[in-house]
Each structure stands twice: as C-alpha cells, then as structure tokens.
Amino acid sequence: MSSMTFDEVFPNLARIVGDALRVDPATITPETNLVIDLNAESIDLVDIRFRVEEAYGFQIEQQAFVAAIAGGTAIDVRELLTMRRLVEFVIRRKGGSV
Amino acid sequence: MITRLLESALITGGSRGIGRATALALAGAGVTRIAIGYVENESAANETCRALESNGAKAMAIRANLALPAGVDRLFDDAAAHLGRLDVFVHCAAIAAFKPLSGTRPNQWDLTMNTNARSFLTGAQRAAAVMTDGGSMVAVSSLGAIRALHNYGAMGPTKAALESIVRGLAVELAPRGVRVNAVSAGLVSGTGVGMLPGAEASIVAAGAQTPMGRVARPEEIASVIKFLCEPSSNWITGQTIIADGGWSLV
C-alpha cells in the first residue's frame, strides 16, 4: 500500500501543472479546474499526463487518463478535471486509497 | 552502394495510419523483423503486430514516449534484440494541436517539436550507430513545412525542422551508405488528422481541392516510403518527395 498522502502529492502536481501551463503553482488550489480555470487544451492534458507518468512511473492512455480523473460519466468531463481529482487519481494509481 | 535484401525495420507511430501501412508494406516486401513504436493505443499496436505476423514478419510493439530522449532510447534499446541489425528506420510519430500558430503556448511548442522533430534526430542518431552496412531512413513530413495551413499550429514548423534534419543527415551519412529522405503528404484518411472530430468535412473539402479528387489513403503514402527504403531508390537521398495527388499544384 502506498504511503502517499494528498498533502504530499498535491504540491508536486501543482508544480507539474504550473510548469506545463506557465502558472504560478502557489495560485493553484485543490479546486482549481485544469480546463475551466487554467485553460488547458487537449494537447496540454497530454503534456500533463506525460509529465505525471514520468514523475510517478506509470503509463496510461490519454482517454483512460481523462476518464480516471473525471471519475464519472458526465457528457462534458471538463467540469470534473480538478486538481483534487488529479491528485486522487495519482494516489489511487500508486496503490493508495483516498 | 551494396544492394541486399532488407531484413529489419523500426517504425515510430507504427500502430495506426501511415505507420501501420508502412509496416505492412515492408512486411509484404519481405522485411522479416519489424518493431513498431506507439504511445497511445496498445490494442491497435497489438493488432498491427498480429497483421504483420500474418504477413510473415516477426513483430514487436514497444510503448515509448518520444517527447522524451529517454523514450527514444527505450524504443531502440528494446528493439535491439528483436531486430538484430537495422536496415530501415521510419519516423511517422507526430502530435499536434490544431490551432493558430500565433496562439501556440511554449509547452505546446515543446511537446510538438520534441515529439515530431527532435525524436527523429535522436532516433536517427541511434539508427545510424547500428546501420553499419548501410540503410535507409524516412521521415513523414507534410505540406505544412512549406505552406501556411489553416490552424496547423506548431505542426508546420516541426515538419520544416524535420525536412531540414533530413537534408543535414543525408549529407553526413551518405559516405556510410545510409540514405535519409522524407515523404510529404497532403491530408490522409485514417490518420491523426483524419480521425479528429469534424474531420469528415475537412476530408471532403481537401478531396475537392485535390486534382485527383480525393485525399490519400495511408497505403498510398506507405508505398512511397517503401520505395525510398528499397535499393531501387539508392540514388535518392536528402529529398522530400511530395505525394499529395497534386494538391500543392493548384
């Protein structure tokens, strides 16, 4: 079982997302939405996924990545792509529970 | 230049579209060991391997993110044992954000340039190191390298870089019997562009603007790539062959 916690993972992912989208990580909160608040486009989500894969040592296809973060079947998943959900996805992917 | 049969090929972006068609074309021409790189669709990669096996080739799919130098190294490291010597390296992998170039963000530029162009350079460096008895490299370019295409984003600059890399490497590697060329296509059905939402209308429009009256099929680009890999094209190097049904002429 992973010992990773939300408080450990969030700052790292905020840095990763901030680096990709040229946003100050200090302005990113768990409720920040990647698409709505940070204007991430499809290619940006690919970029973020590649960076997350590299940082955490796993591989996932893009469609599954977005679906796993969204965690639902909403027609428009953009509203679900929050930093909190991204952090929780990474923790689950590494064997932890949220 | 020594004329001999082609035995092995490494193809990036080989799970779908032009890459898949190229792998199948080379298998049909007698290439017996083929490795394909992919990053996005494992089931498509595995299906392509099965198709290659049914054509008599020993096939291997390797998941590698070519945006990273480590991904290029992983592709070549994993392929080495499967391929033995390397005769052919074909670079089809590409990523794009279809938007105005003026709105392209730095990370989008980096990802596109690294995946489309830098990975060809680093891949060609790895390929050249093991092409000890000559060989052929082909990169898939596009008309966006030389023309301004609507909402083509950073894709055009990456293809221009690709064609420039082709010319530079062709001169440097010619004394060793390694040829380097590119194939530039117009819109191709069944490829990344052709599979985007709303692509059907673009395909119809592009077909109407093409003297041949339609867009290309992946197999039609693959056949040009195959030609550039074969000994029969051994006096061609450093060139970008345009295969677009005449689209660029009108």
Side-chain angles (χ1 to χ4, degrees):
Chain A
M1 182 69 72
S2 168
S3 61
M4 287 197 302
T5 66
F6 188 96
D7 289 341
E8 291 168 345
V9 175
F10 174 74
N12 196 35
L13 289 182
R15 181 186 54 76
I16 288 172
V17 169
D19 284 350
L21 302 180
R22 301 185 77 189
V23 174
D24 181 356
T27 66
I28 298 175
T29 74
E31 307 317 318
T32 298
N33 185 291
L34 299 172
V35 177
I36 296 170
D37 298 321
L38 302 182
N39 299 314
E41 300 169 12
S42 295
I43 193 170
D44 297 320
L45 296 177
V46 174
D47 188 16
I48 290 167
R49 171 193 135 215
F50 284 163
R51 292 170 191 246
V52 170
E53 282 184 337
E54 189 71 9
Y56 288 96
F58 61 78
Q59 297 176 350
I60 185 170
E61 294 179 2
Q62 187 66 17
Q63 199 170 359
F65 175 66
V66 172
I69 298 172
T73 56
I75 293 174
D76 185 354
V77 299
R78 291 179 302 175
E79 292 183 5
L80 301 175
L81 299 179
T82 64
M83 284 298 298
R84 181 180 300 281
R85 286 174 174 273
L86 176 61
V87 172
E88 291 174 350
F89 158 72
V90 169
I91 292 173
R92 284 195 305 271
R93 185 77 186 191
K94 297 301 288 183
S97 57
V98 292
Chain B
M1 182 172 290
I2 299 169
T3 299
R4 57 170 167 70
L5 293 174
L6 303 176
E7 294 181 0
S8 60
L10 174 57
I11 302 161
T12 71
S15 64
R16 294 179 288 185
I18 295 170
R20 180 181 190 277
T22 299
L24 288 168
L26 291 172
V31 176
T32 54
R33 298 186 304 279
I34 298 175
I36 60 169
Y38 73 98
V39 71
E40 207 55 70
N41 192 327
E42 185 176 16
S43 62
N46 290 336
E47 191 282 325
T48 297
C49 283
R50 287 193 293 274
L52 292 170
E53 299 272 358
S54 68
N55 277 269
K58 293 180 179 176
M60 177 183 193
I62 302 164
R63 203 265 190 188
N65 176 7
L66 302 186
L68 303 170
V72 176
D73 284 337
R74 182 181 306 133
L75 177 65
F76 278 81
D77 289 346
D78 290 357
H82 175 72
L83 295 175
R85 83 178 195 203
L86 183 62
D87 297 320
V88 170
F89 172 51
V90 181
H91 180 57
C92 302
I95 191 170
F98 294 102
K99 58 185 292 185
L101 182 58
S102 56
T104 297
R105 298 172 178 167
N107 70 301
Q108 297 170 345
W109 172 273
D110 289 345
L111 180 60
T112 311
M113 187 62 78
N114 291 342
T115 302
N116 299 3
R118 188 180 68 183
S119 67
F120 176 62
L121 173 62
T122 53
Q125 290 167 341
R126 289 290 305 262
V130 292
M131 286 180 170
T132 54
D133 192 24
S136 180
M137 306 185 196
V138 181
V140 173
S141 187
S142 84
L143 292 165
I146 57 173
R147 295 178 65 142
L149 301 182
H150 180 64
N151 277 343
Y152 211 51
M155 186 74 147
T158 70
K159 295 301 189 180
L162 202 59
E163 293 182 13
S164 182
I165 293 167
V166 162
R167 288 188 289 272
L169 290 177
V171 171
E172 293 178 11
L173 298 176
R176 296 179 41 201
V178 176
R179 297 182 298 112
V180 189
N181 291 289
V183 176
S184 179
L187 191 57
V188 181
S189 64
T191 61
V193 177
M195 290 187 287
L196 288 172
E200 195 171 330
S202 299
I203 289 173
V204 170
Q209 294 167 5
T210 302
M212 290 282 194
R214 60 174 176 81
V215 301
R217 296 187 290 271
E219 294 77 12
E220 292 168 319
I221 307 304
S223 66
V224 182
I225 295 170
K226 179 173 76 74
F227 166 68
L228 290 171
C229 296
E230 292 173 333
S232 56
S233 64
N234 70 1
W235 203 236
I236 301 174
T237 195
Q239 304 304 306
T240 296
I241 309 298
I242 295 177
D244 67 347
W247 182 83
S248 59
L249 301 176
V250 295

